[in-house]
């Protein structure tokens, strides 16, 4: 049985290994979250992103500016309300998200191979339970 400190070390190492799957990001890894959000929602306002990630609007604005400068997203004004800006992935952003998604899927497949199907299913079930409990907080 592992004590809490050992468990924390193992979990931290696991997270670092997963975060570093794609090491040479042309953007910050935190900005990748916005890109993944946009890949699922096609288009969003800064407030949508701020609400989803529970981060300040100024922080979202800074992240969006970086992503626009890097060519990963496109921003356009809303047709009905010129004050509202709509954010979406650019063609470059779409390609990058897909490449990154494939890298992560390869990592997941490697974990499945390491654990075997039965242990992998148990692992995913445990991660799911933890995610659900954290979401309720």
């Amino acid at each position: 049985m592992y004590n809490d400190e050992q468990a924390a070390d193992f979990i931290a190492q696991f997270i670092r290994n997963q975060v570093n799957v794609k090491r040479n990001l042309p953007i910050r890894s935190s900005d990748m979250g916005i890109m993944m959000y946009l890949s699922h929602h096609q288009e969003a306002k800064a407030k949508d992103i701020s609400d989803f990630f529970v981060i300040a609007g100024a922080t979202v604005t800074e992240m969006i500016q970086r992503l626009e400068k890097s060519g990963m997203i496109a921003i356009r004004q809303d047709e009905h309300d010129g004050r509202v800006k709509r954010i979406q992935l650019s063609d470059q952003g779409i390609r990058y998200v897909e490449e990154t998604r494939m890298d992560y899927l390869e990592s997941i497949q490697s974990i499945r191979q390491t654990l075997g199907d039965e242990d992998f299913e148990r692992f995913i079930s445990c991660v799911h339970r933890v995610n659900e409990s954290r979401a309720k907080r």
Side-chain angles (χ1 to χ4, degrees):
M1 189 76 145
Y2 299 107
N3 66 39
D4 289 347
E5 193 167 319
Q6 290 170 314
D9 288 344
F10 288 142
I11 290 170
Q13 181 182 2
F14 176 78
I15 291 169
R16 280 191 308 275
N17 288 339
Q18 295 315 301
V19 167
N20 291 326
V21 166
K22 192 161 183 83
R23 294 173 197 267
N24 298 321
L25 295 173
I27 59 170
R28 293 181 183 186
S29 58
S30 58
D31 295 347
M32 190 64 191
I34 290 178
M35 293 180 61
M36 297 303 287
Y37 177 87
L38 291 171
S39 76
H40 292 288
H41 294 89
Q42 277 71 47
E43 182 177 88
K45 298 179 288 191
K47 179 155 180 26
D48 299 332
I49 295 167
S50 175
D51 290 348
F52 181 81
F53 289 104
V54 192
I55 53 177
T59 303
V60 171
T61 299
E62 183 181 313
M63 295 167 84
I64 288 169
Q65 288 172 344
R66 276 195 308 268
L67 287 168
E68 183 180 32
K69 187 176 180 180
S70 70
M72 295 292 182
I73 63 169
I75 301 173
R76 66 173 182 80
Q77 285 188 326
D78 186 272
E79 302 108 25
H80 305 293
D81 186 346
R83 298 170 297 172
V84 175
K85 293 182 180 176
R86 301 281 177 180
I87 306 155
Q88 61 189 44
L89 290 174
S90 65
D91 289 342
Q92 177 184 350
I94 292 169
R95 284 190 303 276
Y96 189 75
V97 166
E98 188 54 33
E99 289 171 14
T100 303
R101 185 176 283 127
M102 296 306 294
D103 289 343
Y104 281 111
L105 287 176
E106 286 177 22
S107 176
I108 297 301
Q109 290 167 351
S110 174
I111 293 168
R112 182 187 292 270
Q113 287 176 334
T114 299
L115 296 178
D117 287 339
E118 191 175 313
D119 284 346
F120 180 78
E121 291 302 319
R122 253 194 310 268
F123 170 70
I124 295 303
S125 177
C126 289
V127 170
H128 181 67
R129 280 181 28 215
V130 169
N131 286 343
E132 283 184 334
S133 76
R134 296 286 184 235
K136 292 176 184 175
R137 288 183 173 190

